[in-house]
Amino acid sequence: MMIWFGIAAIIVTIYFLVKRYDARMVLIASGIIMCLSVKAPMDAFKAFATNMTNAGLIQAVCSVMGFAMVMKYTECDKHLITLIGNFLAKVRPLLIPGAVIGTFVINVALPSAAGTAAAVGAIFIPILIGAGVHPAMAAAAVKSGTYGSMLNPGLVHNPMVAKIAGVNVMDVIAFHYKANIASVIIAGIVITFLAYILKEHKGYETDSFKVDSSFKPNFVYALVPIMPIAILLLCTRPEFKSVNMTVPAAMIIGVLIGLAVTRKNPAKMVKAFFDGMGGAYADIIGIIVAAGVFVSGLTAVGLVKAFIAAMTSMPSIVKICAAVGPFLLGVISGSGDAATVAFNNAVTPHAAEFGLSTLQMGSMATLGGTLGRTMSPIAGATIICAGIAGANPMDVAKRTCPGVTLAMLVGMFLLMF
């Protein structure tokens, strides 16, 4: 009986997420109600307390978002985006796939999908449309690259999977980076072919989109956003492993490099850093806390145990569910975080029972969730890209669909074997 109540709770939760109610409110309310139904309200409150003090996640996520806010204050992110945009404008055959991959690269350094869509879209989309690309296709090209954050150690799922697997966060990225890069190449190729098939790669005429040609990018400024990632990658080499570089340390070093290069007001830079950290806790860690309460409810009513038992009896479906489940929920809800965090909390710790490693299952769920959100017409980044281009979000989603779906299948295959 309680199993069916749990299933009903999941359906209602998805309904409210689709209706764009605050994800944290919906997940917490659902988790508490399920715990109350079995007279175990303290399970929900314990899960809330445990997740709000998760040191590894807080350190990685908050420090990365603090650094991203500093890059916005110093405008180093604008220099990087403009530099890439100017290059793409000169190489027309690479314009559409270059926009996809360029957005992906920038999203590695600036891990917020919506933030990247706003910053990159404001420059890339006018360049694409000015070159004759259809507005919806221009928006779709940028949107198709907004999952580069999978290669950022501050993406919430990377430290989460690292904690479950008992490894370093860079080990998680090292495991799935080939699948990520292969998937974005696939997405870029497919959307380019689609543009040619639909004849949307050139010929669109408008005077509405202008590029700010007065802004001159500084190459040194443009390097600053990628410095922390470069430092972390460098410190994975055997000769530098003794440094024991951490994500927060790399981000703070990046801030200091930004201060030295730009010579901006240090007090304002520190304020920007802590504003970014606070926003990360509220918007990102908040989702983790809420998802933890939701999973505690599923556990209390026995649904997690039943779900694992069902998958154990049919292990062949687990490999598909690990990526496809979060992918579909990401498409439906517009958020890859809620579904992926819940899946990784509930199922990924039991990966060995299904013949998968924790890194495999966690990475597949993360890729599925982020790609599902990338294809969703109601995702914040989709709406931002569509708004900049003056296009319908559904038209944008239709154009991202073939490439992103194939990217998910290719990525899943590479992670599975």
Side-chain angles (χ1 to χ4, degrees):
M1 182 66 177
M2 295 313 301
I3 299 295
W4 289 109
F5 179 79
I7 292 172
I10 291 175
I11 294 171
V12 172
T13 300
I14 293 173
Y15 171 80
F16 282 113
L17 289 174
V18 171
K19 288 295 184 179
R20 310 291 288 172
Y21 283 83
D22 183 85
R24 293 162 296 186
M25 178 192 71
V26 173
L27 292 170
I28 289 173
S30 180
I32 290 176
I33 290 170
M34 283 188 281
C35 286
L36 284 172
S37 70
V38 292
K39 299 178 182 179
M42 291 309 297
D43 287 1
F45 301 135
K46 287 176 182 176
F48 186 96
T50 299
N51 284 282
M52 71 182 292
T53 57
N54 193 324
L57 289 175
I58 293 171
Q59 289 176 18
V61 174
C62 291
S63 61
V64 167
M65 296 310 295
F67 174 75
M69 188 63 74
V70 170
M71 292 301 95
K72 183 177 181 180
Y73 164 68
T74 60
E75 293 193 330
C76 286
D77 58 348
K78 187 175 181 180
H79 286 273
L80 175 62
I81 296 164
T82 305
L83 198 67
I84 295 175
N86 289 347
F87 169 75
L88 292 177
K90 296 174 183 177
V91 192
R92 185 176 179 84
L94 299 178
L95 198 55
I96 293 175
V100 177
I101 295 171
T103 302
F104 183 90
V105 170
I106 292 163
N107 195 205
V108 174
L110 309 173
S112 166
T116 298
V120 174
I123 295 172
F124 281 15
I125 290 175
I127 288 174
L128 288 163
I129 296 175
V133 178
H134 188 279
M137 185 59 70
V142 170
K143 186 64 177 68
S144 294
T146 55
Y147 66 100
S149 53
M150 276 200 70
L151 299 184
N152 189 297
L155 178 71
V156 60
H157 311 296
N158 286 327
M160 174 174 284
V161 173
K163 182 182 178 183
I164 296 170
V167 298
N168 185 279
V169 67
M170 295 305 293
D171 293 330
V172 177
I173 294 173
F175 179 80
H176 62 56
Y177 82 93
K178 291 181 182 177
N180 302 150
I181 293 172
S183 66
V184 76
I185 291 172
I186 292 295
I189 291 172
V190 172
I191 199 169
T192 301
F193 275 119
L194 184 64
Y196 277 81
I197 290 170
L198 298 176
K199 294 182 171 52
E200 293 183 349
H201 64 293
K202 64 178 182 179
Y204 185 84
E205 297 181 3
T206 180
D207 294 324
S208 301
F209 291 88
K210 301 291 182 183
V211 178
D212 182 10
S213 58
S214 64
F215 184 82
K216 304 299 180 184
N218 182 305
F219 181 75
V220 177
Y221 282 29
L223 289 177
V224 177
I226 64 174
M227 291 308 296
I229 305 297
I231 291 169
L232 287 167
L233 289 173
L234 183 65
C235 290
T236 61
R237 295 180 62 86
E239 59 266 36
F240 295 111
K241 279 211 169 184
S242 60
V243 175
N244 292 321
M245 181 60 63
T246 63
V247 174
M251 297 304 146
I252 293 172
I253 292 171
V255 170
L256 293 175
I257 293 172
L259 175 61
V261 169
T262 65
R263 297 183 297 280
K264 292 280 187 176
N265 187 313
K268 290 184 178 179
M269 287 184 71
V270 170
K271 183 180 184 303
F273 186 82
F274 281 97
D275 284 346
M277 286 181 64
Y281 195 96
D283 298 330
I284 301 174
I285 301 298
I287 289 286
I288 299 171
V289 173
V293 175
F294 178 67
V295 171
S296 74
L298 296 178
T299 303
V301 298
L303 194 59
V304 171
K305 186 177 180 180
F307 183 54
I308 291 171
M311 290 199 300
T312 304
S313 64
M314 295 182 291
S316 58
I317 70 167
V318 177
K319 295 180 180 179
I320 298 173
C321 289
V324 175
F327 177 81
L328 293 176
L329 286 173
V331 174
I332 293 169
S333 68
S335 170
D337 288 344
T340 306
V341 168
F343 185 93
N344 279 335
N345 267 329
V347 183
T348 300
H350 307 276
E353 298 175 28
F354 313 121
L356 294 172
S357 71
T358 304
L359 288 177
Q360 274 183 301
M361 181 171 280
S363 297
M364 288 166 68
T366 302
L367 182 64
T370 52
L371 283 171
R373 179 259 302 151
T374 300
M375 199 176 86
S376 174
I378 61 174
T382 305
I383 293 169
I384 290 170
C385 288
I388 293 172
N392 186 305
M394 186 59 73
D395 291 336
V396 176
K398 287 177 182 177
R399 287 162 175 79
T400 61
C401 178
V404 169
T405 301
L406 187 57
M408 187 270 292
L409 295 173
V410 169
M412 184 174 70
F413 177 82
L414 291 176
L415 290 170
M416 195 180 298
F417 300 104

